[in-house]
Amino acid sequence: MAAPKKDPTTTTPPPPSESGLKFFREILGQDWVVSHLKTAMLAGRLSHAYLFLGHGGVGKATTARALAAALNCAQPEADGDACGTCPSCRRLAAGTHPDFLVISPPESKAQIGIEQIRELRRLTAYPPLGGGWRVVLIKPAEALSAQNDAAANALLKTLEEPPDRHLLVLTARGEVDLLPTIVSRCHNLAFAPLPSALIIRELEKRRPLPRSQAALVAALSGGSLGRALALDPEELVRQRDQVLSDLDRITRGSTGLVLEWAQRLTKNRPDLDNFLLLAQLWYRDLLLAHFQAPAGLLAHQDLLPLLSQARAGSAPAAWFAGFAALGEAQRHLQANLNPELTLDILGLRLQRQGNPS
């Protein structure tokens, strides 16, 4: 039998960010998902296709690699996890395993090409090269959205009639941008956001961060360790301090100053998004502190005296109202309403809450 033709976009080893040996025991905060997969694997009841759902940076791709390692390991542990030392594990560690494939959009493109899916289908006509399982990671599955129905429909054939000893793993943030026909042909597993305490611990372990910075980064990570590691703590502190300065000026300043602030922020969407997130986080901490939550739950560990001072000068009703106003502004911006008008209204509402008389 002739060897299958190779397509560099589909059958080459994973790029560096996707290479490296991963174990089930290394996956953080996803105990239920790991337990489910290990139980199904040991019982011989794995699905032919999985859809891993959850925010980026919570371990979806890591889990796919751990599953590929366990399925192909020559000397698995008693619980089914990979050993890390056999030839298959060493190939996965080097990123050269022939039966672990990653399909993602080519560089500078947002969609997975139909040629990539066609090549995958040609490849699945042949058994796994290593004699174990061929695991294919497709990420993000949103790149097979309704706007890319040709590639999605080409994949459906493989999902409907899966070859023996082939397993597909698709990753996505949620189901909303996926074709229902793809969702219905996969076993869906939801990955939870990681707890802040876990993210803080990992940040302190992997980066020389003081706990106060780690707490702020964790609070803004959305439960994603990947996002937390990508954030610049010092820049985040600088942005936070600017947001608190803006809040103080808005609540104490004139209407003209509020409108000037709105005009300035409208011109810089990243600063606008940061303001909304960081301002909400400040009101959250004020409410937590007021209701005597443990100090360890607060994001602003380095500003405890300022939180106490702010609590003394206002009341929970104002913080609830400010939090609600910020959330409403976020929804209006997501609905593509006029940004400057949205910020004008937000600024005036925050100013009124700061000066209730």
Side-chain angles (χ1 to χ4, degrees), residues 10-347:
T10 304
T11 62
T12 51
S17 61
E18 301 293 350
S19 63
L21 180 61
K22 300 296 179 183
F23 301 101
F24 281 130
R25 55 188 175 269
E26 293 180 322
I27 296 166
L28 303 172
Q30 306 297 345
D31 295 348
W32 182 87
V33 171
V34 170
S35 176
H36 177 91
L37 291 171
K38 287 168 69 174
T39 299
M41 182 180 64
L42 291 173
R45 297 199 309 268
L46 280 172
S47 175
H48 66 281
Y50 286 93
L51 176 57
F52 290 174
L53 298 168
H55 291 294
V58 296
K60 301 190 300 293
T62 301
T63 302
R65 294 195 292 275
L67 182 58
L71 284 171
N72 287 290
C73 182
Q75 301 169 340
E77 303 289 331
D79 65 351
D81 207 351
C83 70
T85 58
C86 71
S88 173
C89 287
R90 290 200 299 270
R91 284 194 292 270
L92 272 166
T96 58
H97 201 292
D99 291 325
F100 178 58
L101 311 176
V102 179
I103 298 180
S104 294
E107 287 187 23
S108 76
K109 294 187 178 180
Q111 301 291 329
I112 291 172
I114 189 172
E115 297 81 7
Q116 293 174 272
I117 302 302
R118 286 173 176 164
E119 178 59 22
L120 171 63
R121 290 185 57 192
R122 287 193 291 269
L123 186 64
T124 57
Y126 298 86
L129 297 176
W133 285 73
R134 179 175 288 129
V135 178
V136 182
L137 172 60
I138 300 177
K139 58 170 289 194
E142 289 91 344
L144 296 167
S145 64
Q147 290 72 37
N148 189 21
D149 56 357
N153 289 329
L155 181 65
L156 285 178
K157 186 69 172 176
T158 302
L159 292 176
E160 290 167 350
E161 301 176 8
D164 187 40
R165 304 187 75 78
H166 282 71
L167 189 147
L168 274 65
V169 178
L170 290 73
T171 68
R173 292 177 63 88
E175 298 180 13
V176 64
D177 293 322
L178 305 179
L179 289 176
T181 47
I182 285 183
V183 175
S184 65
R185 286 164 174 79
C186 298
H187 186 110
N188 298 356
L189 292 178
F191 282 64
L194 301 181
S196 289
L198 187 154
I199 293 177
I200 291 171
R201 187 182 73 225
E202 289 299 311
L203 286 171
E204 291 178 326
K205 182 192 304 182
R206 303 185 192 196
R207 306 170 78 177
L209 290 183
R211 188 172 185 83
S212 60
Q213 287 189 1
L216 181 61
V217 171
L220 288 169
S221 69
S224 165
L225 179 58
R227 173 171 167 76
L229 291 170
L231 290 172
D232 181 342
E234 293 184 0
E235 175 62 16
L236 199 55
V237 170
R238 186 199 67 77
Q239 292 171 352
R240 186 274 311 272
D241 292 346
Q242 180 62 55
V243 166
L244 296 184
S245 174
D246 283 348
L247 282 175
D248 184 64
R249 294 174 68 236
I250 288 170
T251 56
R252 298 174 185 273
S254 64
T255 298
L257 186 146
V258 170
L259 299 179
E260 178 185 328
W261 163 83
Q263 187 177 51
R264 170 175 62 82
L265 213 56
T266 301
K267 297 176 182 178
N268 191 320
R269 187 56 187 257
D271 283 354
L272 167 53
D273 293 338
N274 287 335
F275 176 87
L276 295 173
L277 288 172
L278 289 163
Q280 287 182 85
L281 193 61
W282 177 249
Y283 285 123
R284 164 195 174 271
D285 270 12
L286 283 172
L287 289 164
L288 287 176
H290 176 79
F291 291 107
Q292 299 182 339
L297 295 180
L298 303 180
H300 300 88
Q301 298 281 317
D302 57 332
L303 295 182
L304 296 181
L306 185 59
L307 278 167
S308 296
Q309 180 182 339
R311 286 172 54 206
S314 188
W319 309 329
F320 274 118
F323 195 93
L326 289 159
E328 184 176 333
Q330 272 185 323
R331 292 190 293 274
H332 287 172
L333 291 169
Q334 289 167 356
N336 294 318
L337 298 186
N338 184 295
E340 187 168 352
L341 178 58
T342 297
L343 287 181
D344 286 344
I345 295 171
L346 171 63

